[in-house]
Amino acid sequence: MRTLPGYSPGMRTQVGIVGAGPAGLTLAHLLHLEGIESVILEDRSREYVEQRVRAGVLEQGTVDLLVAAGVGDRLRREGIVHGGIELRFGGQGHRIPMSDLTGGRAITIYGQQEVVKDLIAARLSYDGPLLFEVAEVAVHDLDTPRPSITYVHNGRRGELECDVIAGCDGFRGVCRDSIPPGVLQLHERVYPFGWLGILATVAPSTEELIYAYHERGFALHSLRSPKLSRLYLQVDPYEPIEDWPDERIWEELHRRFEREGWTLHEGPIIEKGITAMRSFVAEPMHYGSLYLAGDAAHVVPATGAKGLNVAVHDVKVLAEGLVEWYGSGATELLESYSDTCLRRVWRVQDFSNFMTTLLHRLDVDAFEDRLQRARLEYVCSSEAAARSLAENYVGLEKV
Ligand code: FAD
Ligand code: PHB
């Protein structure tokens, strides 16, 4: 085995995975089921990744994949299945009956950190290599069939030699930036607003998610369990969170969700933070021996609830390609990995942009405000328009 200067002789594996988010952990699990070895390197601690509050909406296809992969027991027990959402504007609610419009498909509310916990537990149950708190991760020799990953773990330098590397290290990871300049085409749109998200220990004031359009800005009522509410407000992304004491958050939520005969219940806020809204795609999602997956390759504004779902789809496609390659040497699926994924990525980008511009206060001009209102009314009065929203929201089977 080759050794880089300053590094002790290291490990060897088939697939080196950078990042233990939903993408990296799901990939490792799918490969394990097919007898393919991998090592996951994660720069944060196990506690941190298991507590990080993020997504909460799983598409039908994501649930089906996790259940089929044997990591869906708790998800099936504790996940809350929803067959509709409410769009609220002008002081009125309009239900989009997603399951009725999509032949029975639904979403499941189950926190991303719960998915991560289940996947870590599965990984550790068979002693699958998973290193937390790894520093100075760098990928090398990507244009060769013997790439490697160097890192520091417990104060020791290590090198991991692999057949391929999966860059599952999120938007701010190192893998994407290791691709030589000029290879990737980057597409980006940064929205002039962010989301202030809170987690509150109070029973949700609604059974189904409420997406509210209001002249003061967008608001979303989601949940995590019968005792835990998750709520979001459209805010200025540069506003410091200190400017949002709890009383101000609740006051703003009350105003934006206002509807006769409906009450928003308050409770202690146990977590809050502001997230920027952006659309981003790096293409192709493949260079030499490196495959990018999930947020490392693309980011969507959270309004469509798609980020985690499309990350899981990427690694499903990657796992199928690797299984074919290790099984027969055929490279067709790996070669088409990027194109296959990008078809769904761009569909999801379009849907997320549609939901974002449908529901946020855009502050363009009065004409745009009226167009937005016309679009909202159309989605709530035309079955064809509602069905289009519904089939994208629950997740398209084929793209
Ligand atoms: P990540 O979850 O970002 O995982 C990447 C991992 O790599 C992390 O653990 C990170 O610590 C690690 N890492 C980074 N750099 C390195 C390095 N140099 N070395 C080693 N490890 C590294 N999506 C939905 O589908 N539905 C929703 O309802 C939804 N709501 C959201 C709400 C919010 C507020 C936010 C912020 C996001 C939301 N998303 C949602 C998006 C979703 O959370 C992400 O798309 C998802 O986390 C992507 O998974 P990933 O594994 O690709 O990346
Ligand atoms: C969430 O519950 O965190 C959530 C729900 C719906 C979204 C985004 C986030 O569109």
Side-chain angles (χ1 to χ4, degrees):
M1 179 180 300
R2 298 156 313 140
T3 308
L4 291 184
Y7 287 78
S8 50
M11 295 183 284
R12 155 124 199 91
T13 191
Q14 290 177 296
V15 182
I17 301 177
V18 185
L25 289 164
T26 305
L27 176 63
H29 188 71
L30 295 176
L31 294 178
H32 168 73
L33 294 178
E34 297 290 342
I36 298 172
E37 285 173 13
S38 65
V39 173
I40 312 177
L41 303 174
E42 163 62 48
D43 68 352
R44 301 287 193 156
S45 67
R46 178 176 178 184
E47 294 68 36
Y48 183 89
V49 299
E50 289 190 341
Q51 298 309 323
R52 185 165 45 195
V53 180
R54 280 178 148 191
V57 174
L58 305 187
E59 289 178 358
Q60 181 78 54
T62 303
V63 172
D64 293 347
L65 180 140
L66 294 170
V67 169
V71 283
D73 288 353
R74 195 162 69 92
L75 162 59
R76 269 209 290 214
R77 271 199 318 276
E78 297 176 17
I80 306 170
V81 178
H82 282 188
I85 54 170
E86 179 182 326
L87 300 184
R88 188 175 288 189
F89 56 96
Q92 304 216 313
H94 309 262
R95 181 169 191 264
I96 307 286
M98 294 179 312
S99 292
D100 296 348
L101 293 165
T102 59
R105 290 166 74 77
I107 55 155
T108 299
I109 308 296
Y110 191 68
Q112 176 169 324
Q113 73 272 35
E114 306 308 321
V115 175
V116 164
K117 277 180 209 162
D118 295 345
L119 287 163
I120 290 176
R123 180 83 179 159
L124 299 180
S125 73
Y126 56 83
D127 294 327
L130 166 53
L131 274 56
F132 290 103
E133 298 181 71
V134 169
E136 296 179 38
V137 171
V139 294
H140 309 274
D141 302 330
L142 300 178
D143 53 354
T144 75
R146 278 282 170 272
S148 69
I149 311 176
T150 52
Y151 58 92
V152 176
H153 188 235
N154 288 336
R156 288 216 186 90
R157 291 188 180 280
E159 182 186 6
L160 178 64
E161 223 181 83
C162 339
D163 298 329
V164 298
I165 296 175
C168 302
D169 48 349
F171 182 63
R172 298 186 193 287
V174 294
C175 289
R176 188 180 65 245
D177 290 345
S178 307
I179 295 175
V183 172
L184 296 180
Q185 202 179 349
L186 306 180
H187 307 271
E188 186 165 34
R189 178 169 296 178
V190 179
Y191 296 87
F193 41 77
W195 276 16
L196 189 166
I198 63 162
L199 201 59
T201 46
V202 57
S205 309
T206 177
E207 281 190 3
E208 296 182 334
L209 270 56
I210 306 171
Y211 287 81
Y213 169 83
H214 192 277
E215 60 186 23
R216 297 179 64 83
F218 168 75
L220 169 61
H221 193 326
S222 182
L223 54 126
R224 285 294 179 272
S225 75
K227 294 185 181 150
L228 215 46
S229 297
R230 177 85 168 139
L231 296 118
Y232 296 99
L233 283 171
Q234 174 185 353
V235 296
D236 174 348
Y238 302 109
E239 222 172 336
I241 190 77
E242 293 71 38
D243 287 3
W244 284 94
D246 295 1
E247 313 74 61
R248 182 176 173 209
I249 294 174
W250 285 115
E251 190 188 315
E252 196 59 34
L253 287 166
H254 280 292
R255 294 171 88 156
R256 297 192 194 178
F257 283 117
E258 191 175 16
R259 175 185 163 181
E260 223 181 283
W262 186 85
T263 312
L264 175 66
H265 304 297
E266 295 186 19
I269 295 179
I270 54 171
E271 211 264 353
K272 63 176 159 182
I274 295 180
T275 315
M277 287 283 122
R278 72 154 46 82
S279 306
F280 172 82
V281 181
E283 53 187 16
M285 290 167 56
H286 167 213
Y287 171 73
S289 304
L290 172 68
Y291 295 82
L292 298 175
D295 278 18
H298 42 74
V299 176
V300 282
T303 331
K306 290 286 169 238
L308 180 155
N309 294 293
V310 75
V312 168
H313 179 262
D314 287 351
V315 297
K316 174 176 178 276
V317 177
L318 182 53
E320 286 166 357
L322 289 167
V323 168
E324 183 192 63
W325 181 51
Y326 279 114
S328 68
T331 55
E332 280 82 3
L333 290 183
L334 279 183
E335 279 165 16
S336 58
Y337 167 74
S338 179
D339 288 346
T340 306
C341 291
L342 285 168
R343 264 201 307 280
R344 181 169 290 263
V345 166
W346 281 110
R347 172 89 296 285
V348 159
Q349 287 291 356
D350 180 46
F351 176 67
S352 303
N353 179 64
F354 162 77
M355 288 289 278
T356 302
T357 53
L358 180 73
L359 290 158
H360 287 73
R361 175 82 201 180
L362 302 175
D363 280 331
V364 176
D365 55 22
F367 191 83
E368 189 63 40
D369 292 349
R370 296 298 292 120
L371 288 181
Q372 205 175 359
R373 184 64 185 246
R375 262 180 238 133
L376 278 165
E377 281 167 5
Y378 180 51
V379 161
C380 297
S381 60
S382 153
E383 189 177 300
R387 192 188 303 280
S388 167
L389 189 156
E391 68 169 6
N392 280 279
Y393 193 85
V394 298
L396 291 162
E397 276 173 270
K398 285 221 163 13
V399 174

